[in-house]
Amino acid sequence: ATARVATAWYRAPELCMVGGSMTSAAADTSPFCEGKVVYARYAFEVDLWSAGCILGECLLSSPLFPGENDRAVSRMVFKKVGLPPAQPFWATLRNWRHYTAGLEGRQHGALAPTVQGGLRQLLLGLLEVSPWNRLEARTALELGVWSEHPPAIAPRDLQLGPSEALAMETKMEDKKRELRREAKKRRVEQPQRKSR
């Protein structure tokens, strides 16, 4: 959860906000503390946030929160996704006021307005600011987005330039030939094993 480990662009807001600074009075009750020692609670919610950032980047062809540091990323998150619901944990962070100044009252909406339907539900669920309300992997897999129509497009039906389409078609045909050769080889080898 440090800036030296990985880019902050995919870091969950609770990790950006902890930053090792919490008031000592709140340290006893925070799920992110043990006694007076602050630590970043790394659980599945953190990974699901990152998955949401990657999904959003794939959908929009650009990073969602390309900030230079934890504060810049946090402010981008809160502007696009909204502030977390009122929970005592957030108020215990020394950086809370500094990171959220001027953002009070913002709500969901600015994030990926062109993404619709189940895909939007998945994206917003993964990018839920509060880790306690973030979509769980099992729940994400049960969403209707995975069975929505139209189904995925076959590579040959993608709208590619002529050279790209030909290259993809050639690659697919080569792979099919390779798989057929491997299957034929296995069929030929099986009777020889049985006859031994």
Side-chain angles (χ1 to χ4, degrees):
T2 67
R4 294 183 306 270
V5 174
T7 178
W9 297 4
Y10 309 97
R11 193 173 301 146
E14 61 271 21
L15 296 184
C16 289
M17 294 296 296
V18 169
S21 59
M22 187 174 292
T23 60
S24 60
D28 294 326
T29 59
S30 172
F32 290 80
C33 291
E34 269 181 27
K36 301 289 186 249
V37 179
V38 177
Y39 70 97
R41 181 178 164 268
Y42 191 98
F44 72 88
E45 297 93 345
V46 172
D47 292 329
L48 291 168
W49 174 271
S50 298
C53 291
I54 293 166
L55 174 64
E57 186 170 334
C58 290
L59 293 170
L60 301 174
S61 300
S62 66
L64 298 179
F65 313 113
E68 294 178 12
N69 53 45
D70 284 344
R71 181 179 185 272
V73 168
S74 296
R75 290 187 61 80
M76 286 180 179
V77 167
F78 297 145
K79 283 179 184 177
K80 292 182 179 180
V81 180
L83 292 170
Q87 291 169 326
F89 163 72
W90 298 103
T92 65
L93 302 172
R94 288 190 188 135
N95 291 330
W96 176 247
R97 287 194 179 127
H98 179 63
Y99 279 31
T100 60
L103 300 177
E104 290 79 13
R106 292 190 185 254
Q107 298 297 321
H108 286 290
L111 180 69
T114 59
V115 178
Q116 300 298 317
L119 201 50
R120 182 169 182 76
Q121 182 184 7
L122 174 63
L123 182 63
L124 293 179
L126 293 172
L127 295 178
E128 170 59 50
V129 175
S130 174
W132 298 278
N133 298 333
R134 199 165 296 144
L135 198 60
E136 294 182 13
R138 184 175 313 227
T139 307
L141 291 172
E142 293 169 356
L143 292 177
V145 66
W146 309 111
S147 59
E148 283 183 356
H149 291 285
I153 297 173
R156 68 179 170 277
D157 296 333
L158 289 173
Q159 295 180 356
L160 303 173
S163 62
E164 294 167 314
L166 179 61
M168 184 173 283
E169 197 68 38
T170 302
K171 187 175 182 179
M172 287 178 59
E173 289 301 319
D174 289 345
K175 186 66 175 173
K176 286 178 188 177
R177 278 192 290 277
E178 180 184 336
L179 291 172
R180 283 193 294 265
R181 277 194 303 268
E182 289 174 8
K184 186 177 179 181
K185 185 178 177 182
R186 282 193 302 271
R187 282 193 304 270
V188 169
E189 290 174 354
Q190 280 180 331
Q192 291 174 354
R193 288 186 205 157
K194 289 179 184 177
S195 63
R196 289 183 188 175

